[in-house]
Amino acid sequence: MTMNTFTCVLVIVCAVKLHLASLQSNLVPCAEHCKCLYPTRDTPTQYMDCINQSLTYFPKETKLKTTVPTYIFFIDNNLTVVNSATFRNISRLRVVFLRLRNNGIKNISRDAFNTLRFLQHLDLSYNSINLQQLRSSFRSIRSISFQNLNMSHMSIEAIPENMFESFENLSAVNISLAFNHLTLFNTKVIETVPGLKFLNLAWNKLTNLSMWANFSSNMKRLKLDNNYLYDVPNFCKNNSLSFFPELVILNLQFNFMRTIIPEHYSCLSQLRRFYLNGNLFQTLKTNMFAGLHSIVRITLSETFALRKIEKAPFNNTSLKKVFFRKNALYTEMHRGHLNIFEGCTSMELLNMADNIFDKTSEAQFDELFKPLGNLTILIMGGCRLTQIPRAVTKYLRNLQELVLYNNRIGSWPDGTLNSLVYLHTVYMRQNVISLVSELSFPPGFRRRAKKVDLSDNAFQCTCELKWFIHWMKKEPQVFNVTDFHQYYKCMSPSSVHGVDLAHIILSKNICMLDLNSKIITLTCSTLLVVFVVVGSVLYHLRWHLRYLIYMMRYNNRHEVDTGHYEYDAFIAYGQNDRPWVIKTLMPILEGQGQLKLCIHDRDFEVGKLIVDNIVDCIDNSRCLVIILSNSFAESGWCQFELALIQRYILENGNRPLVVVMLEEINTRHVTKAMRAMLQTTTYLLWGEEDYARKAFFNRLRLLLHRPTHKARTRTNSV
């Protein structure tokens, strides 16, 4: 029997389950309390479903074809006794599959299956049948194509030695005794079944297998998982010959084995799959599996008692797949070296998910991955990784699938994946990735990509992510999503928190504007920093600067201003003070005093920027007059004019400044600039009495009179 044929036999029961489940909606009522599926061109088999109907017999159905393979599901009924008459109503059918699960069967006749000439699969699970009667009934199974016998969940405590002697002429048969109460299994029970290919003894209470010296079986698969085995059974005769020389699959997982002795299984020269999950091994020794010359797959996961791993326990050039999950493997426990897979030059798949690698050094990763140059699939989900180990891209050049879900990876340097020229699948869901650079996935990878999963990450939905969103929308089959909302959401900025990536609008114009905004922000930030630094320096040198300015102004006081000006005085005033300026100030100074004043309501150039008007008028005025009032203090433009005037005087110290206090200023309106001006400049007070007004204008005209060449001195401020 070829391996492919054997595989088909093993999975046929599961296939029937799945197929029946998919056909439930197509079943139609047929015989009494049953449903049927009749054969069609697409389904060349037929089904009769009599489940949970409290039936005590098989109803007759005349529409089922007599020449078509028939599957009968007679489950959860009340059959109690089975004999040849039990199957009279279905004897005309070509029954190949018969499930009698949980029917309360206690007695069965020796001729029970005489009429079922084509029977291939028989399920007697969840019945408590007398084993001696059952052994006799097997003689009535005459089909040489019989393949599967299910005797699980039958509360069996011991199997008679000659239980299956009726199957001695079958070329390939599979027997399940799972979920019973067996404490010991003697191999003499199966010695009479040379065609036995699969024996399932899982979920019993076995503590050992009893194998006698002359025993030998052609069995391909043996399941001993979930028993009470404390040691690996000895499958070898004299350390070289095997009791099971054809064994391909051995399942010993979830027992209580504390030690693993290579001499007990190294004779299994045909063994390809070895399942050891969930045992209590404390130490993995060097070359534990070196004697298994055909081994392809080893699963050694969930060994939570593991405390020590010696050098190269998996050393075997035939080994292609290793599942080493949930072993509490962490660097601190294995101080120093991590050369676990030394000698595994043919390994193609390594699953090390749910171990602890957050403190593993790059040197240790080098030891771990250096021997695995032919690895094509690496699975390290849930390993607390904060970055993609450099050893992955350094040594695993043939990698095709990289699985790093549920870690703490936030990003990886641009170009990291460039060396993985065969990589086509990346699973990195449930990490802390916020931004994905366009160089994170090189163009070659994007052309090859078959599957990319970055779901459940903390995406920052800015323009840097625009290319990634475009890629997802362009190739949804790569991301295996037709609806983004369940998997890909924005976490920041706060304005789009929880929004689907598919609904984020990041157009070229928006992103260009965003880029310009960043440039402007950066420029303004730079200038602000420069201003802060310069301001800080000036603040610390303020007294030196004040002394310098004072000395310059003192020296200039004796100079005669002989410049030519368009105006005698520039008048700065608030809008509410305009009537006073027009009706009181201008008639006296321009009418009687024959001075030319610069009044912004009259003299500012139309169409010119206000700032330019102010600067030009100040520059063309011989004196500067500020009409100080609450209106002036509250006006933003007036404060701006004041700042320009103060700066102009600071830069051109020879220009006279006259301050007129029109009214008492409310202290809450006094700015720092105004306070500094009032503290350093003498001002004229406006009064309402006649003598006060006359004295006011006399002093003001004196301050604003045009100088002559005979003038010797001048005062810059009043």
Side-chain angles (χ1 to χ4, degrees), residues 1 23 160 247 347 369 520 532 610:
M1 187 180 195
L23 296 174
L247 197 64
M347 194 185 301
F369 294 125
I520 294 172
V532 169
I610 295 177

Side-chain angles (χ1 to χ4, degrees), residues 548-566:
L548 179 62
I549 293 170
Y550 173 79
M551 293 302 297
M552 292 174 62
R553 294 181 63 185
Y554 178 81
N555 294 332
N556 289 336
R557 287 182 180 181
H558 300 282
E559 297 174 5
V560 176
D561 189 351
T562 59
H564 176 73
Y565 299 96
E566 182 178 355

Side-chain angles (χ1 to χ4, degrees), residues 168-220:
E168 60 182 351
N169 295 322
L170 297 178
S171 59
V173 62
N174 309 306
I175 298 175
S176 176
L177 295 167
F179 295 95
N180 283 295
H181 305 308
L182 299 173
T183 56
L184 181 66
F185 187 83
N186 194 320
T187 55
K188 287 186 177 181
V189 172
I190 59 175
E191 186 179 22
T192 57
V193 192
L196 181 63
K197 299 303 177 186
F198 173 32
L199 178 61
N200 186 353
L201 295 172
W203 293 95
N204 278 279
K205 300 178 180 179
L206 296 174
T207 57
N208 201 356
L209 292 183
S210 176
M211 290 175 279
W212 60 296
N214 294 326
F215 169 76
S216 181
S217 172
N218 294 322
M219 192 188 310
K220 297 285 187 180

Side-chain angles (χ1 to χ4, degrees), residues 121-136:
H121 310 279
L122 176 61
D123 183 356
L124 298 171
S125 60
Y126 290 93
N127 290 289
S128 298
I129 307 174
N130 181 284
L131 293 185
Q132 294 299 332
Q133 292 182 5
L134 186 59
R135 177 184 63 81
S136 298

Side-chain angles (χ1 to χ4, degrees), residues 284 289 298 300 312-316 319 322 324 340-342 344:
L284 300 184
F289 307 107
I298 294 174
L300 187 55
F314 293 95
N315 180 22
N316 195 308
L319 189 59
V322 171
F324 199 67
I340 301 173
F341 303 110
E342 186 174 309
C344 300

Side-chain angles (χ1 to χ4, degrees), residues 75-76 107 138 239 263 293-294 336 377 382 436 599 639 690:
I75 302 171
D76 297 326
N107 297 291
F138 289 156
N239 296 328
E263 291 77 15
H293 303 302
S294 300
I377 301 175
V436 185
I599 308 298
Q639 294 299 324
D690 290 337

Side-chain angles (χ1 to χ4, degrees), residues 20 85 90 150 158 160 170 182 188 193 204 213 247 255 281 338 411 496 562 578 583 609 633 635 652 655 658 661 705:
L20 182 63
I90 61 172
N150 187 353
L170 297 178
L182 299 173
K188 287 186 177 181
V193 192
N204 278 279
L247 197 64
N255 279 279
F281 305 128
L338 277 179
S411 62
V496 292
T562 59
R578 181 175 178 274
K583 296 179 180 180
L609 292 176
S635 171
N652 304 275
R655 195 63 58 88
V658 178
M661 183 74 75
H705 78 280

